[in-house]
Amino acid sequence: MISIEVEAEGWREVADLESAVERAALAALAGETAEVVVLLTDDMAQAELNARFRGRPGATNVLSFPAPETARPHLGDLSLALETCRAEAAAQGKPLSHHLAHLVVHGVLHLRGRDHEDEVQAEAMEAEERTILASLAIPDPYRPVEAQT
């Protein structure tokens, strides 16, 4: 089950917001039965979460909070920052909906234990993201936009 909480109303600009988030999360779960909460917030709230839980200043696009094994089937929570995600999508020349789906997939993969701490892990995680996003008809997020046309 995917629960979506929209704190920043600007997220509602994304067409079929809840459906898009749920489809991306379920695709990343790859059939695993799990509960995930997705918080769609703003940069101010995201910066507070980032400082509180990671000790880092400022907002970041997505934060993943894995649940302890004892909390299963709850896999964990994601938090996404509107202004940061919107700016990244614009800078990369892609629709916000595609960037949102990518970050939801990325976050769920973190909840499932994937990481990108070294080059081998990063390549494996990016390949998995590409495959999942392709199944959702979303272009490769790591390929320059001009190369996708």
Side-chain angles (χ1 to χ4, degrees), residues 3 7 9 17 24 39 41 63 66 92 95 110 112 115-116 145:
S3 299
E7 280 188 352
E9 286 301 311
L17 176 65
L39 174 65
T41 193
L63 291 170
Q92 296 169 23
H110 275 304
R112 292 183 61 211
D115 216 332
H116 45 81
V145 173

Side-chain angles (χ1 to χ4, degrees), residues 5-12 17 40-43 82-83:
E5 299 177 19
V6 181
E7 280 188 352
E9 286 301 311
W11 279 112
R12 299 215 184 268
L17 176 65
L40 300 172
T41 193
D42 61 21
D43 277 18
L82 175 63
E83 297 88 348

Side-chain angles (χ1 to χ4, degrees), residues 48-67:
E48 290 174 13
L49 291 171
N50 203 20
R52 181 175 174 196
F53 293 102
R54 295 179 67 220
R56 297 184 181 175
T60 188
N61 53 15
V62 61
L63 291 170
S64 301
F65 301 97

Side-chain angles (χ1 to χ4, degrees), residues 2-27:
I2 310 303
S3 299
I4 302 162
E5 299 177 19
V6 181
E7 280 188 352
E9 286 301 311
W11 279 112
R12 299 215 184 268
E13 296 171 11
V14 174
D16 300 318
L17 176 65
E18 286 84 0
S19 175
V21 170
E22 184 172 11
R23 285 181 59 230
L26 290 173

